């Protein structure tokens, strides 16, 4: 083993307490620790931070991390301090005295890692400071922020090319969880990383289970889902509107689920407080608009729920990716119905954007609908979208309970002709009344009870017809005209179906079943434990919560759940035994070892 490799492994084990590198970490870390440049593309939770933290420890000098996530720097630095790493940050939230103090430490070489906001970095004062210090490396986190075509463009990132110009000998590592080629190319040119080695990992998140259910009563379904499977767990619930965020949070609280709301319209301080409670306390459900989540690296988010359809697969993947960073089993759960399709299409139609932009948005929405309606493996579909081939995963709803497809050609024809016969001037409610043969004031008034299609769909329930209509709208055979009281209209794509030139196969409607509280309410990880071990975990968690509160850091900064489970499993009786547990490094052994051994001994 080379010298650098041996040092890197030593830091991993002694500081972080992990036995081995994951995936491509070893190669990346050895390259950067040896002075090379790297571009790292890894999904959330794969372990990007170690890729710069360990080289920074191995190399002489301070590792400078550029990150746009100012609100989270304090937590990152606290977590490193827990590991015995000398870290600090420079950003606009600090006082003059704090800044001067940290600058002094940088000059004296008293820091291993320094986090800097990008707008701060390009200032003359900061560049001068860096010029006076010994630098181990530059890490450019969230590197996709340099891309104007990406979704999080930050103009300050463009100026980061100054790093290469002023400090050509300092190795650089750029990291992102954004997968697409266009963004990658832009990162390379803008940051002058042409000579960097690229490390592209699989974007799969195998521990996340994907599930998309038919929307009936979304809030009620959410409550049932949480009660049956996620009681006491931390989760994020995404809603489209601010009002819905507030209503949903209130609803969950009324039903005994600890929930907080978060959206851009809230007072800044209230929002910051909510975010901090979510990070620090166990088992909080955050109900939020998509304004929430960027850079949230809480590792034990057990579920992400969507009550509204995301606009694109990119958005869906990024949001669901916030679940399960610690690698434990997690759930991405979504309710989806006809109204979602209609609402999203309307938002695109009514936006002020130019036609080209609208076309792109439409295509993204269609891809998202394709994911919702697919009868195949959700994961295969998702990865395919990012250009990655895979085979059925066994860990999504469609793999676990394959949907039944049926030849719906005749049903769809009945529906399409009814729409045609009411002159494409009526909304879904009336069309389904005619189809199912329900006499109402409206059917009488318009004499629609005389139509040849009146009652031809009486063999199916309203819910079944709504599911058929939703799929037909998602396929683009029917549109909803917002300028005309949401009237259903046929598109050109409907013609071949009406003429029996094209078959249509659809997913059979599944009545939403109320989930029972089953063993699935416990995670796979918990299922492997005996009741005694589980009791030990519960006691360890209570101890951890107390310590976290006393030190005002998030609980996971002390130990991850996986570490607590491992401790409960081996029931260590000595510090040496305890030090063998993944996640217990030297500093943590020193700080918490005695406490834990006492707690274990008391439990026997
Ligand atoms: P990312 O930044 O890629 O989203 P993180 O760097 O936050 O991911 O790492 C995700 C989690 O995985 C963290 O809790 C981290 O401690 C853990 N982790 C990273 N590398 C390893 C490893 N080699 N062994 C065990 N756990 C690891
Ligand atoms: Zn699957």
């Amino acid at each position: 083993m080379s010298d650098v490799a041996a040092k890197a492994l030593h830091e991993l084990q002694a500081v972080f307490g992990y036995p081995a590198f994951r995936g491509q970490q070893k190669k990346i870390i050895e390259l950067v620790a040896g002075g090379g440049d790297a571009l790292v593309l890894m999904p959330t939770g794969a372990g990007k931070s170690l890729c710069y933290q360990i080289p920074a420890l191995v190399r002489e000098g301070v590792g400078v991390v550029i990150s746009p996530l100012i609100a989270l720097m304090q937590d990152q630095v606290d977590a490193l301090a827990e590991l015995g790493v000398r870290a600090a940050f420079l950003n606009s939230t600090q006082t003059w005295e704090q800044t001067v103090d940290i600058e002094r430490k940088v000059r004296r070489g008293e820091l291993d890692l320094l986090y800097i906001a990008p707008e701060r970095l390009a200032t003359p004062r900061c560049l001068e400071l860096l010029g006076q210090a010994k630098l181990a490396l530059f890490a450019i986190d969230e590197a996709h922020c340099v891309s104007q075509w990406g979704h999080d463009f930050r103009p300050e990132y463009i100026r980061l090319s100054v790093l290469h110009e002023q400090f050509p000998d300092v190795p650089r590592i750029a990291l992102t969880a954004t997968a697409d080629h266009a963004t990658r190319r832009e990162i390379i040119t803008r940051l002058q990383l042409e000579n960097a080695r690229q490390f592209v990992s699989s974007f799969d998140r195998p521990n996340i289970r994907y599930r998309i259910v038919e929307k009936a009563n979304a809030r009620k379904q959410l409550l049932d889902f949480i009660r049956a499977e996620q009681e006491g767990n931390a989760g994020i619930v995404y809603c489209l509107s601010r009002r819905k965020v507030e209503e949903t949070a209130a609803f969950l609280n009324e039903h005994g689920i600890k929930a907080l709301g978060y959206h851009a319209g809230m007072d800044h301080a209230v929002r910051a407080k909510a975010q901090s409670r979510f990070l620090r306390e166990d088992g909080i459900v955050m109900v939020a608009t998509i304004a929430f989540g960027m850079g949230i690296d809480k590792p034990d988010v057990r579920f992400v729920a969507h009550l509204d359809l995301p606009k694109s697969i990119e958005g869906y993947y990024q949001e669901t990716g916030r679940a399960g960073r610690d690698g434990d089993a997690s759930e991405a759960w979504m309710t989806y119905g006809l109204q979602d399709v209609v609402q999203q299409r309307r938002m695109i139609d009514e936006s002020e954007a130019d036609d080209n932009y609208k076309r792109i948005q439409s295509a993204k929405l269609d891809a998202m609908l394709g994911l919702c309606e697919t009868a195949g493996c959700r994961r295969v579909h998702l990865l395919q979208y990012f250009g990655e081939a895979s085979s059925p995963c066994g860990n999504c709803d469609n793999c676990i309970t394959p949907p039944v497809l049926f030849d719906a050609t005749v049903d769809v024809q009945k529906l399409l002709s009814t729409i045609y016969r009411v002159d494409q001037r009526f909304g879904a409610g009336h069309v389904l009344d005619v189809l199912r043969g329900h006499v109402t004031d409206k059917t009488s008034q318009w004499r629609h009870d005389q139509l040849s299609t009146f009652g031809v769909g009486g063999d199916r329930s309203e819910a079944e017809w709504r599911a058929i209509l939703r799929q037909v709208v998602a396929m683009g055979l029917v549109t909803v005209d917002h300028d005309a009281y949401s009237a259903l209209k046929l598109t050109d794509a409907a013609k071949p179906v009406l003429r029996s030139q094209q078959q249509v196969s659809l997913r059979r409607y599944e009545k939403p079943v109320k989930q029972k509280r089953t063993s699935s309410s416990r995670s796979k990880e918990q299922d492997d434990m005996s009741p005694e071990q589980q009791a030990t975990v519960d006691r360890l968690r209570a101890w951890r919560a107390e310590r976290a509160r006393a030190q005002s850091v998030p609980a996971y900064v002390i130990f991850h759940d996986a570490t607590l489970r491992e401790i409960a499993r081996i029931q260590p009786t000595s510090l040496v035994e305890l030090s063998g547990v993944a996640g217990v490094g030297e500093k943590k052994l020193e700080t918490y070892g005695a406490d834990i051994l006492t707690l274990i001994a008391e439990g026997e």
Side-chain angles (χ1 to χ4, degrees), residues 103 358 393 420 445 459 499:
E103 287 175 347
K358 284 187 184 180
C393 71
Y420 180 74
Q445 182 193 345
D459 54 334
R499 291 193 202 116

Side-chain angles (χ1 to χ4, degrees), residues 239-241 290 306 308-317 319 334 340 343-345 347-348 351 357 360-369 372 385:
C239 305
L240 210 54
S241 72
I290 53 170
H306 281 92
D308 294 301
L309 186 71
K311 291 180 175 44
S312 66
I313 290 188
E314 287 93 333
Y316 173 76
Y317 207 62
E319 285 142 29
M334 177 164 115
D340 287 299
Q343 185 180 33
Q344 289 286 355
R345 288 247 158 94
M347 281 165 59
I348 295 172
S351 86
Y357 184 81
I360 295 172
Q361 295 309 307
S362 262
K364 292 198 174 204
L365 177 59
D366 285 341
M368 186 66 217
L369 294 176
C372 294
Y385 184 80

Side-chain angles (χ1 to χ4, degrees), residues 364-430:
K364 292 198 174 204
L365 177 59
D366 285 341
M368 186 66 217
L369 294 176
L371 174 71
C372 294
E373 301 291 0
T374 183
C377 171
R378 308 265 190 213
R379 192 180 313 272
V380 166
H381 198 100
L382 279 167
L383 291 174
Q384 177 74 42
Y385 184 80
F386 296 115
E388 211 177 307
S390 63
S391 39
C393 71
N395 192 26
C396 72
D397 53 354
N398 285 352
C399 280
I400 293 166
T401 327
V404 182
L405 292 183
F406 71 106
D407 179 352
T409 313
V410 173
D411 293 292
V412 172
Q413 284 173 337
K414 288 178 185 171
L415 174 63
L416 299 180
S417 16
T418 305
I419 294 171
Y420 180 74
R421 280 174 209 279
V422 300
D423 296 325
Q424 311 188 53
R425 286 171 53 200
F426 292 86
H430 182 67

